[in-house]
Amino acid sequence: MTTEVKQDSEFKKLLEDKQYFSLPKTGDLVKGTILSASKNEVHIDLGGIFTGLVRGKECYSESEEYRNLKPGDEVEATVLEPENENGEIELSFREAGHQKAWDKLNALKKSGEIISVKVVDANKGGLMVKLGEIPGFLPVSQLTVEHYPRVEGGDKSRILEILKRFAGQTMEAKVMTVDEENEKLIVSERAAWEEQQKGKLDLYHVGDAIEGKISGVVDFGCFVEFGEGLEGLVHISELAWQRIENPRDVVKTGDKVKAKIINIDGSKISLSLRRLQ
């Protein structure tokens, strides 16, 4: 056997031996080093054996780690085609980033970590937010008492007007629902607030009498601020022993009052004025 034939045989054997050499398949996640990067095209060295190419919309990802890439950076990408028209491996940051971003959301839900979300818009049901590059939703029911829209008569147009004022603001929240298949993300500001207020809420129990100040009056009762940033609701039926048509006939914003705690449900504190009368 000639030297040339022998070398050719050994090379073929090396290619066939997956211990030394394995062609990436469509869907594989591969690691490499950036060779060059522009806005719409990134070349990647894959272990000195292959060159990968990310181009067009595949350059844009929901994961922040794919921003501002430069030569020498180590990255991961998903294989779209084992070989394109130029003999390179066609790769995607978009696919890899999507998976990384949703994996991170699942981890945040599991850990219960408090995160910051940016409010981008609102509808009558709540706030549209963004966590990184992933859109999510913060329902009205998951707002803190401070941000909950207190609207007389429940006028939906007025509620929407109030909610839209939060656009551009950042809120602290916890991840509640992660549904990658339907690209559904739901967060709760109230849950984050409850986490932060645990120590303060633990100081109070059902039956305690508190002193506070009326912070708002609505058709169904009034809100009372007390303690260190806590707030409770006095339902209209708990304002006085006699029947009341309008809470404003009994209390007004700024009044100092004494109330009794009649229920604590998470961050929802129910108070009564009449039970101390």
Side-chain angles (χ1 to χ4, degrees), residues 53-236:
L53 173 65
V54 185
R55 54 184 169 180
K57 66 180 182 181
E58 303 303 332
C59 291
Y60 303 96
S61 167
E62 296 161 319
S63 183
E64 296 181 3
E65 69 182 86
Y66 294 104
R67 297 178 187 174
N68 305 314
L69 294 173
K70 60 185 182 300
D73 287 348
E74 293 187 355
V75 292
E76 290 183 320
T78 300
V79 176
L80 296 181
E81 295 179 34
E83 186 175 4
N84 63 16
E85 70 278 7
N86 297 317
E88 299 170 306
I89 297 178
E90 197 78 18
L91 300 172
S92 170
F93 288 152
R94 190 166 63 98
E95 291 288 334
H98 177 88
Q99 190 59 55
K100 282 176 174 286
W102 285 90
D103 285 348
K104 183 178 179 181
L105 291 180
N106 278 303
L108 287 172
K109 179 187 176 184
K110 187 176 181 180
S111 70
E113 180 183 338
I114 295 175
I115 42 84
S116 293
V117 296
K118 185 174 182 179
V119 181
V120 293
D121 203 351
N123 59 30
K124 293 177 182 178
L127 303 174
M128 276 84 91
V129 302
K130 262 196 171 184
L131 178 50
E133 291 300 311
I134 296 182
F137 189 63
L138 201 170
V140 171
S141 62
Q142 296 302 316
L143 287 168
T144 59
V145 175
E146 177 188 357
H147 293 147
Y148 191 88
R150 301 167 184 172
V151 176
E152 295 181 24
D155 184 336
K156 292 183 178 180
S157 296
R158 177 62 178 154
I159 290 174
L160 179 59
E161 182 183 334
I162 293 173
L163 291 177
K164 279 189 173 291
R165 293 176 185 172
F166 294 117
Q169 294 186 27
T170 299
M171 291 184 173
E172 291 189 322
K174 290 179 74 172
V175 175
M176 306 302 290
T177 301
V178 177
D179 182 353
E180 182 183 351
E181 184 177 347
N182 297 303
E183 297 193 352
K184 182 180 180 182
L185 167 65
I186 296 177
V187 300
S188 169
E189 184 195 28
R190 192 180 76 190
W193 183 87
E194 287 178 0
E195 183 74 25
Q196 295 168 329
Q197 300 296 317
K198 274 182 180 178
K200 298 177 184 178
L201 284 170
D202 288 345
L203 298 175
Y204 297 92
H205 304 87
V206 173
D208 288 351
I210 57 95
E211 293 185 12
K213 182 175 67 175
I214 303 293
S215 56
V217 183
V218 290
D219 291 346
F220 53 84
C222 69
F223 293 92
V224 178
E225 285 184 354
F226 67 97
E228 295 183 31
L230 298 176
E231 190 171 46
L233 171 67
V234 181
H235 189 266
I236 188 172

